[in-house]
Amino acid sequence: MKKRVFSGIKPTGDIHIGNYLGANRHWAAMQDDYDNIFCVVDLHAITEPQDPALLKGRIREFAGLLMAIGIDPERSILFVQSHVHEHSELAWILNCFIPMGWMYRMTQFKEKAEQQREQVSVGLFDYPSLMAADILLYRTDVVPVGEDQKQHVELTRDVAQRFNNIYGETFVLPEPLIPDVGARIMGLDDPTKKMSGSEEGAGHAINLLDSPDMIRSKIMKATTDSKRDILFDESRPGIFNLLSIYQTFTGEDNKQIESRFEGKGYSDFKKALAEVAIEGLRPLQERYKELTGEPGRIDSILAKGAEKARPLAEKMLAEVQKKVGLG
Ligand code: TYM
């Protein structure tokens, strides 16, 4: 029996190379080793204001991009969170087992709450409970994510353990799986901030569908420092981030990369990085074009994915409801 993998992506903004290098491409690469479920988490998207028409389009775009990256609907279940209503129902039950104090500790909530102040929704506060439901519904063993989601997976383990202590073995305790390189890609304009789809600045992120010219222009303008040497030095976040991006695209080790750029300037390195990123993204951009050329293809794959996910989710939710004494 293969171990179960579950992971999700939130259809807001654009998918950027942070998502891709930190998470999505690992999902694709791991497919043969695990029993996989991948989800476009639209209910998480509405924890912040969304334009309805844009959101609907993005859900399909994100699913199409995941397929273009290599998620194969024959080997993995790919579906949309709101198509399987058990996610919301389990999240409600879990709410009743998560102390407020655990939620207040979530750094992602604290950061967003600081930006949004009185606009913060209850949904945003409750985000980790829905994420725990996503993971626990499918008896997930492994959750491949970037560094920023680690705390949410730990909370998932904690609530699973708490429930199991009260009602007996019910949930599997999931483990986060975080890559050694690329787990935290930083913004190009500000390398002290995580690359994020919700940042407005044009030079912040490289998106997966960016044209070669856009990629070149964003990388050439990326913030570095006034030094010269091209070294993996964490105290120089701009160049360190660009080198990490180079490394995740090429798979080369630190020494190889440093010696390749010895004696060269930032501009030479940035030009080389732009070409590596353009070539790295080209195959998935071409596959995406093919996929979206066939009307209805993505919708039909998502419908089939939900049909496969639903029975698994129904079974788990029924077990939980019975243990709690509902109905
Ligand atoms: P989301 O949509 O923000 O990001 C999707 C995945 O991309 C990773 N990621 C990054 N990795 C490296 N560097 C970055 N700058 C970067 N930005 C994003 C994220 O860690 C994530 O793995 N809450 C989740 C979605 C979710 C989920 C789940 C994930 C909902 N339910 C259940 C796993 C299991 C999120 O918003 O990811």
Side-chain angles (χ1 to χ4, degrees), residues 65-247:
L65 274 168
L66 291 180
M67 286 189 262
I69 288 166
I71 301 301
D72 172 5
E74 297 298 319
R75 286 183 290 159
S76 297
I77 298 178
L78 176 63
F79 76 107
V80 178
Q81 190 184 33
S82 67
H83 292 179
V84 178
H85 60 74
E86 282 77 6
H87 289 246
S88 310
E89 291 181 49
L90 181 60
W92 177 258
I93 297 174
L94 295 178
N95 276 334
C96 304
F97 293 87
I98 302 176
M100 294 279 278
W102 293 5
M103 294 292 234
Y104 279 127
R105 283 207 295 274
M106 296 293 109
T107 49
Q108 188 164 302
F109 174 74
K110 282 196 265 191
E111 282 165 17
K112 295 212 172 196
E114 214 164 273
Q115 293 158 8
Q116 299 180 16
R117 296 179 182 272
E118 63 277 16
Q119 300 303 318
V120 172
S121 68
V122 175
L124 190 70
F125 181 66
D126 200 32
Y127 185 115
S129 174
L130 180 59
M131 183 159 159
D134 298 340
I135 296 169
L136 298 178
L137 266 182
Y138 299 99
R139 315 187 64 78
T140 303
D141 301 292
V142 180
V143 188
V145 282
E147 174 71 39
D148 61 338
Q149 297 301 317
K150 186 168 175 230
Q151 198 185 27
H152 290 159
V153 181
E154 283 164 358
L155 182 130
T156 303
R157 280 179 71 88
D158 289 344
V159 66
Q161 199 146 31
R162 189 161 203 248
F163 192 97
N164 288 354
N165 285 344
I166 302 171
Y167 297 104
E169 279 311 298
T170 310
F171 293 125
V172 172
L173 302 191
E175 295 280 353
L177 183 67
I178 295 170
D180 295 334
V181 189
R184 193 171 176 83
I185 301 288
M186 309 306 277
L188 298 182
D189 54 348
D190 179 355
T192 62
K193 269 196 190 159
K194 181 189 77 169
M195 186 177 283
S196 148
S198 50
E199 287 287 329
E200 295 291 322
H204 173 76
I206 294 176
N207 299 321
L208 296 196
L209 293 176
D210 279 354
S211 67
D213 282 345
M214 284 159 92
I215 296 174
R216 281 189 199 103
S217 148
K218 287 178 181 177
I219 291 182
M220 294 314 288
K221 285 190 209 132
T223 303
T224 45
D225 53 41
S226 55
K227 302 221 170 98
R228 256 198 82 85
D229 297 336
I230 296 169
L231 297 174
F232 280 86
D233 173 357
E234 288 195 52
S235 69
R236 292 160 59 198
I239 192 70
F240 183 81
N241 187 42
L242 295 182
L243 282 165
S244 306
I245 296 172
Y246 189 96
Q247 181 166 47

